Amino acid sequence: MSDAYLAGAGMVEFGVHYDWSIDDLIENAYLELLDGVDKGVEPREDVDAAWFGTVDVAGDAMGGTAVSNATGLYDLPITQVVNACATGSDAVRNAALAVRTGDVDTALVIGAEKMHEDTSGLIASAATERLWRGRGVTMPAFFGLRATRHMADYGTTRDQIAEISVKNHDNGSKYPYAHQRFTCSIDDVKQSPTISHPLSLYDCCPVTDGAAAVLVTSEDVVDRYTDNPVRIGASEVATGSFMRGGENSLTSFEATKNAARSAYERAGIQAGDVDVAEVHDCFSITELVTMEDLGFCEVGQAGEFIESGETRLNGSIPVNPSGGLIAKGHPVGATGVAQAVEMYEQLRDEAGDIQVENPQVGLTHNLGLDRHAAGSVCAVNIYERV
Amino acid sequence: MSDAYLAGAGMVEFGVHYDWSIDDLIENAYLELLDGVDKGVEPREDVDAAWFGTVDVAGDAMGGTAVSNATGLYDLPITQVVNACATGSDAVRNAALAVRTGDVDTALVIGAEKMHEDTSGLIASAATERLWRGRGVTMPAFFGLRATRHMADYGTTRDQIAEISVKNHDNGSKYPYAHQRFTCSIDDVKQSPTISHPLSLYDCCPVTDGAAAVLVTSEDVVDRYTDNPVRIGASEVATGSFMRGGENSLTSFEATKNAARSAYERAGIQAGDVDVAEVHDCFSITELVTMEDLGFCEVGQAGEFIESGETRLNGSIPVNPSGGLIAKGHPVGATGVAQAVEMYEQLRDEAGDIQVENPQVGLTHNLGLDRHAAGSVCAVNIYERV
């Protein structure tokens, strides 16, 4: 069984792209990828198949041919993958599985989302349609409740939660692909408009258009593209439920714990082996609970862990060097693929101003909720320096 | 590399299910599958991962957790696959790829579509949004033009085209899962209301709700479930374009030809080796041109080939024993999975009144158009008696 490798990466600057359709987003990420393959790639000759991650906010895709139309790559098998906010990482996972069969040597993965199109409907309806909306539990409220519960159960402070946003904006201000490139203080975060107590505007990720692409290849052909690839050590998805009595907690996601356990086992590592991580900070509190669910710190200790600076760029385990969803943005289907793009750069020491010191193992994490808010989905991918 | 096998199958009766949500459709197909595993399956113990095919007409899915909610199978990796009308077959393909890596031994595949929800929007917009709608080319017109072109180029007759509907209704009248279980004559077809010349109402598939499920397993574990499995000899997808000058024809789909070529090569067979086929007769003319694209007959000869009776249940290559999309119905994400369900039955001699005589090799074919109608996608799967 061949391992799967990242052999190239590219993405567009995340932001507000009213001037681009989803086709334009796909095309531009694809062109950036072509530039991001060390020894070059002849896409019509080399690419055997593609996976396309989008939840299709714009209602314009309905399948893989969106990629053929935007790239001119016809005749390929191209599969659209949808998995809520974990869509991009799951596209990487399905490509990696195909590469490992030997049927596919070189796969293109593109994640893209045109959020400035029909976002109000999506964001309003996400996670709330049947069970929660009538109770006022929109997405910010859903996560706000987790924040108040973590504060009540473990003594986590508002400042500790705000520190996540401060750190991620610090990082994002240095990352050329990030949407929100400014720095802010804990007071700035706390004084920004309240969205859902205790979360303020700066605790929330913005509405962002974007696209990202990676080349996933087998061991057999990776040398054709680069002498410095990144190994995909694991790519795992798990689903969880909020509907099972007694098993659930407001301060933990079963899906994250299950996906992380599978990923660590598959890659033969432990949480302590991770040198750099991109995690799903759709809200600041989400990053906080994720620290515990991934095993980066003890349960109940994430507030202090974050306050200690361990997750800053120069800490023991830098988290969200790119600025995460809060500063980089969260174009749903692109998010996981953009995390892969950054890991490709980090593990090749090419991440510029956000470079972590000599990382050997990178982890990416995406968490999604379905429209019923009855379940969650999590993807955890492990990337390794070769 | 392990082969992948079908080790169980189940589906709901296709039809108008205003009383069922998409969750209900999924749940009922899943329960039918559990009943359809010879030696039984303990889903919580045995199933390692799932793939879920839906284009989500109802706007209710947004990821794999729709399956966990409906089945109670939590903690699984579940990926939603979207690929226009080829969605269900592509879900089978992604499951088969995963099984062949060895990471996954037992995969659940569910295809489901709740069409009686928002269908008018979908059907009106499908394939026409940017390029065609303003020119009046809705889906029936898109295929009607192919019919008139085939008639003009090759002398194909209206009666030959209508004979496809007659045959498929004959077959569907015997299939307990089919939506439209009545027989009709060539005159009945021709005298039904004109939809888009020369296609009449009976040349078109109906609007149908449905769901279907199969168990896809590795060679290592298949004996656990059945002594009589069906091998997945190939599962291939290709995309094509209508935008490339000179390469295209109104009477042929590049995507079908490419997917078929890949599938025959992967399975080590030729068109003449196929003993039974389910093909994508969204319109009668689609089945006609598909006969040529799959290599079942010479280009230009499909009219006579169909008239000869060779594709009837007792012919040399029975096509659409289930009634196809025209009689069985076309709940988009379920269609390809339902084809797999039927192949599981045919290749085990358990297809009842639509059983073909001693088939060794079955083929399924789905054809989809994207919303731009700029491209097409085709899935061809080969199933083999073990």
Side-chain angles (χ1 to χ4, degrees), chain A residues 1 51 59-60 64-65 69 75-76 78-80 82-84 90 93-94 100-101 103 130 239 370-371, chain B residues 1 51 59-60 62 64-65 69 75-76 78-80 82-84 90 93-94 100-101 103 130 239 370-371:
Chain A
M1 189 65 58
W51 277 260
D60 220 13
T65 50
N69 293 335
D75 307 334
L76 281 187
I78 309 174
T79 297
Q80 182 189 337
V82 181
N83 229 337
D90 198 13
R93 168 174 166 266
N94 277 271
R100 293 176 53 218
T101 66
D103 281 11
R130 294 200 188 168
T239 48
D370 66 26
R371 285 195 175 167
Chain B
M1 188 66 59
W51 277 261
D60 219 13
M62 208 171 143
T65 51
N69 293 335
D75 308 333
L76 283 187
I78 309 176
T79 298
Q80 182 189 339
V82 181
N83 230 336
D90 199 12
R93 170 175 164 264
N94 277 271
R100 293 176 52 215
T101 65
D103 282 10
R130 295 200 187 169
T239 47
D370 66 26
R371 286 197 174 165

Side-chain angles (χ1 to χ4, degrees), chain A residues 1 21-23 44 49-51 55-56 58-66 68-69 72-85 87 90 93-94 96-98 100-104 122 126 129-130 236-244 247 254-255 258 266 332 368-372 374-377, chain B residues 1 21-23 44 49-51 55-56 58-66 68-69 72-85 87 90 93-94 96-98 100-104 122 126 129-130 236-244 247 254-255 258 266 332 368-372 374-377:
Chain A
M1 189 65 58
S21 67
I22 191 166
D23 288 13
R44 286 168 196 278
W51 277 260
V55 301
D56 197 15
D60 220 13
M62 208 172 143
T65 50
S68 28
N69 293 335
L73 291 175
Y74 296 108
D75 307 334
L76 281 187
I78 309 174
T79 297
Q80 182 189 337
V81 166
V82 181
N83 229 337
C85 294
T87 292
D90 198 13
R93 168 174 166 266
N94 277 271
L97 284 167
R100 293 176 53 218
T101 66
D103 281 11
V104 171
L122 177 88
E129 197 151 6
R130 294 200 188 168
E236 300 288 328
V237 163
T239 48
S241 169
F242 307 129
M243 306 300 281
R244 289 179 295 188
E247 288 187 55
E254 288 293 323
N258 286 328
R266 179 84 59 194
V332 179
L369 306 181
D370 66 26
R371 285 195 175 167
H372 305 337
S376 59
V377 56
Chain B
M1 188 66 59
S21 69
I22 192 166
D23 289 12
R44 285 168 197 278
W51 277 261
V55 300
D56 197 15
D60 219 13
M62 208 171 143
T65 51
S68 28
N69 293 335
L73 290 175
Y74 296 108
D75 308 333
L76 283 187
I78 309 176
T79 298
Q80 182 189 339
V81 166
V82 181
N83 230 336
C85 294
T87 291
D90 199 12
R93 170 175 164 264
N94 277 271
L97 284 166
R100 293 176 52 215
T101 65
D103 282 10
V104 171
L122 176 88
E129 198 152 7
R130 295 200 187 169
E236 300 288 328
V237 163
T239 47
S241 168
F242 308 128
M243 307 299 282
R244 290 179 295 188
E247 287 187 56
E254 287 294 323
N258 286 328
R266 180 83 60 193
V332 178
L369 307 180
D370 66 26
R371 286 197 174 165
H372 303 338
S376 59
V377 56

Side-chain angles (χ1 to χ4, degrees), chain B residues 343-365:
Chain B
M343 287 300 151
Y344 188 67
E345 294 173 347
Q346 288 284 1
L347 295 163
R348 290 158 46 100
D349 294 326
E350 293 176 344
D353 290 344
I354 62 161
Q355 180 64 49
V356 166
E357 192 183 337
N358 192 31
Q360 303 298 308
V361 176
L363 176 149
T364 67
H365 161 269

Side-chain angles (χ1 to χ4, degrees), chain A residues 33 143 151 166 177 188 219 233 252 269 302 309 339 364 375-376 379 382:
Chain A
L33 168 65
F143 283 96
M151 294 165 85
V166 172
Y177 299 103
D188 290 337
E219 197 157 1
S252 174
I269 65 166
Q339 291 177 332
T364 66
S376 59
I382 306 287

